[in-house]
Amino acid sequence: MRSLTVLGSCGAWPEAGRACAGFLLEYDGFTVVLDLGYAALPRLLERCPKGEVDAIVVTHQHPDHCVDVSALARVRYYEAPDAPPIPLHCTPGVLDVLRALEPNPDPASVFAVHDLASTTRLGPFEVSTVLLPHYTTNLGVRLTAGRRSIAYTGDSGPSPELSKLAEGTDLFISDATLQGPSPRTTPRYVMTATEAARGARGAKRLLLTHFWPGSDRSISVAEAQREFDGEVLAAEEGLTLTL
């Protein structure tokens, strides 16, 4: 099976019935979690009851992207105490957040922690990263296996690096926090749907995510469609896309 499942799609905090950032990537039996924010873990556990994933990628340290990694640590500690640590590839500061949430068990004893910026391989995937503008260190990530590739921005303001990340990908998962015209304030650390679409040019499909709670997502899709020639989708919890 080669697929991507949306575990959470909200930015900042989860709407009722939804979750914050989280995706499950499955490729020929290898499973990778991309971010795991507020309320995303229960949806992961629907597919992996004991949190049995092969790797975790966390793009940055904000809790709407990493807080449920702490909950996953508890699942692994109690439900699979003899299992080897899960590789956790993350940016600086993520481990500090996890330890502040719950120092016992130490997250470094449940996960094998690696610097995401130095990661070049995850199972069948070749990995590349780019630094994208955000309030804290945030790495966009691209994963390629054979002829299939996906990219994920985490959170990002507009940047020329987005087109490099998107070029030639089968699926581009992009921050689309805002709607309407681009704010005039600078610097910019999140994007409008229109900006996300412009950054995604070169990809085959665009999956918008990280919506501000309460947003009408159909508006975001319509705005992005004006700037992107391929298929535009809104991330919805439980949505599974075949790669």
Side-chain angles (χ1 to χ4, degrees), residues 9 15 175-184 188 190-197 208-224 226 234 236:
S9 63
E15 296 179 39
D175 167 44
T177 306
L178 308 175
Q179 296 174 340
S182 301
R184 295 183 179 181
R188 293 284 312 288
V190 293
M191 286 188 285
T192 66
T194 298
E195 291 166 336
L208 303 176
T209 191
H210 202 261
F211 299 101
W212 191 257
S215 297
D216 181 341
R217 299 176 179 205
S218 66
I219 292 174
S220 298
V221 170
E223 290 177 346
R226 299 188 192 109
E236 298 283 348

Side-chain angles (χ1 to χ4, degrees), residues 26-212:
E26 301 177 80
Y27 191 93
D28 294 352
F30 190 87
T31 54
V32 181
V33 171
L34 302 175
D35 285 346
L36 203 64
Y38 297 120
L41 179 64
R43 288 178 170 81
L44 175 63
L45 296 180
E46 289 174 359
R47 294 175 174 270
C48 307
K50 294 187 178 182
E52 59 274 32
V53 298
D54 295 301
I56 304 165
V57 170
V58 176
T59 58
H60 65 288
Q61 70 186 67
H62 283 159
D64 57 334
H65 290 256
C66 75
V67 75
D68 265 18
V69 177
S70 177
L72 177 58
R74 286 196 161 199
V75 173
R76 300 299 294 169
Y77 183 77
Y78 290 107
E79 293 293 322
D82 298 323
I86 297 173
L88 169 61
H89 299 260
C90 59
T91 51
V94 170
L95 187 58
D96 292 336
V97 171
L98 298 178
R99 282 177 169 150
L101 287 165
E102 179 53 78
N104 187 23
D106 187 332
S109 69
V110 180
F111 304 115
V113 183
H114 304 276
D115 178 9
L116 179 57
S118 300
T119 300
T120 59
R121 191 95 198 169
L122 285 177
F125 295 104
E126 294 179 10
V127 180
S128 59
T129 59
V130 295
L131 181 64
L132 296 174
H134 196 49
Y135 298 95
T136 187
T137 301
N138 174 79
L139 292 178
V141 61
R142 178 171 175 149
L143 299 98
T144 302
R147 297 182 179 180
R148 298 286 183 266
S149 62
I150 73 162
Y152 172 44
T153 67
D155 292 352
S156 176
S159 169
E161 296 297 320
L162 291 167
S163 60
K164 299 177 185 178
L165 192 65
E167 182 62 35
T169 57
D170 297 280
L171 180 67
F172 190 65
I173 309 165
S174 181
D175 167 44
T177 306
L178 308 175
Q179 296 174 340
S182 301
R184 295 183 179 181
T185 56
T186 56
R188 293 284 312 288
Y189 294 133
V190 293
M191 286 188 285
T192 66
T194 298
E195 291 166 336
R198 290 171 182 162
R201 289 172 181 166
K204 295 178 181 178
R205 287 191 290 178
L206 170 59
L207 181 65
L208 303 176
T209 191
H210 202 261
F211 299 101
W212 191 257

